[in-house]
Amino acid sequence: MASSAFSNALFSPIYAPSKPISHQHNFSFLKFPNTRSHPLRKTTSLTAFCSFDASDSPSQDTPIELMYPAFPTVMDINKIREILPHRFPFLLVDRVVEFNPGVSAVAIKNVTINDNFFPGHFPERPIMPGVLMVEAMAQVGGLVMLQPEVGGSRDNFFFAGIDKVRFRKPVIAGDTLVMRMTLTKLQKRFGIAKMEGKAYVGGEIVCEGEFLMAMGSE
């Protein structure tokens, strides 16, 4: 069993050359098992390429910790706290990575095992409650709405309703929840705004819905 695990880790990439090898090389000592590659495995003792183009690629030698750039910071947590009235344990937005004032925003929530809801939801299987995903998305919507272009105020801004909400996949500890909220309709006279929200983990939609925001009078 240990030998099999070592073999899988060593030869995890799938070798599918895009064109025939033009030079003579003896690869008879390599055995390529029929297995899927694992994105976090890194060959430490041997790297083999069946394409000379691939062997020339510098990304093959890049450590995994340097392969994926961090999300940009358009608003850090201090700026978010200046806009949103929420505080611990109910501030569910960690960073804004894209922002079009009065139009849309993309923000992230780093889901960690230290979040206060995990001990009860659930002790043996930590899953982020769907209602908190919706709340986090609404807070991102608040960042869009609480801007001079829209006329919102943190003292009179409310989450008024949701519609067509669907949860596609569970969000667990260790995930990064990426939330996009887009203003679709604004009625300044009545202080009502409609927004479309989508949340992603690893590029896949985990939650989506339509949100209704209300701005009361001063």
Side-chain angles (χ1 to χ4, degrees):
M1 182 63 71
S3 176
S4 175
F6 174 78
S7 176
N8 288 340
L10 186 60
F11 301 109
S12 58
I14 297 177
Y15 298 89
S18 58
K19 59 184 179 180
I21 297 176
S22 58
H23 295 78
Q24 293 295 327
H25 290 272
N26 182 12
F27 290 101
S28 61
F29 64 93
L30 297 176
K31 297 183 182 296
F32 306 115
N34 184 17
T35 181
R36 293 193 306 169
S37 64
H38 192 291
L40 295 182
R41 285 178 180 159
K42 178 176 174 64
T43 301
T44 56
S45 58
L46 175 64
T47 301
F49 301 96
C50 289
S51 167
F52 288 116
D53 291 339
S55 64
D56 294 334
S57 174
S59 64
Q60 299 294 337
D61 298 325
T62 304
I64 192 167
E65 62 269 22
L66 302 178
M67 283 184 181
Y68 306 102
F71 285 104
T73 301
V74 176
M75 286 187 197
D76 63 14
I77 190 61
N78 295 313
K79 180 62 176 177
I80 291 170
R81 284 164 54 91
E82 291 176 6
I83 298 173
L84 294 179
H86 307 76
R87 293 296 181 266
F88 176 85
F90 232 69
L91 179 54
L92 301 175
V93 181
D94 292 323
R95 185 190 305 180
V96 176
V97 300
E98 180 183 285
F99 188 61
N100 296 311
V103 178
S104 66
V106 180
I108 63 173
K109 156 68 177 162
N110 295 307
V111 184
T112 81
I113 196 62
N114 292 315
D115 281 312
N116 69 322
F117 47 79
F118 278 137
H121 198 281
F122 300 99
E124 302 303 323
R125 190 184 181 194
I127 296 176
M128 184 176 184
V131 66
L132 292 185
M133 279 191 271
V134 170
E135 170 63 25
M137 295 166 71
Q139 290 181 16
V140 179
L143 293 170
V144 177
M145 300 301 300
L146 301 179
Q147 301 297 322
E149 294 84 353
V150 181
S153 166
R154 62 185 290 169
D155 297 323
N156 62 359
F157 176 78
F158 303 96
F159 179 18
I162 53 176
D163 194 18
K164 300 180 182 178
V165 173
R166 296 292 183 270
F167 301 101
R168 305 299 183 187
K169 289 188 174 182
V171 176
I172 63 174
D175 285 341
T176 298
L177 189 66
V178 183
M179 302 163 285
R180 175 180 291 276
M181 294 292 290
T182 305
L183 181 67
T184 57
K185 188 174 182 179
L186 175 64
Q187 295 179 331
K188 275 192 175 183
R189 179 181 177 185
F190 301 102
I192 298 294
K194 290 185 178 180
M195 306 192 77
E196 178 186 82
K198 293 185 178 181
Y200 304 81
V201 170
E204 297 185 13
I205 293 180
V206 295
C207 179
E208 59 184 331
E210 297 175 357
F211 293 69
L212 187 66
M213 308 295 186
M215 296 171 285
S217 59
E218 293 286 355

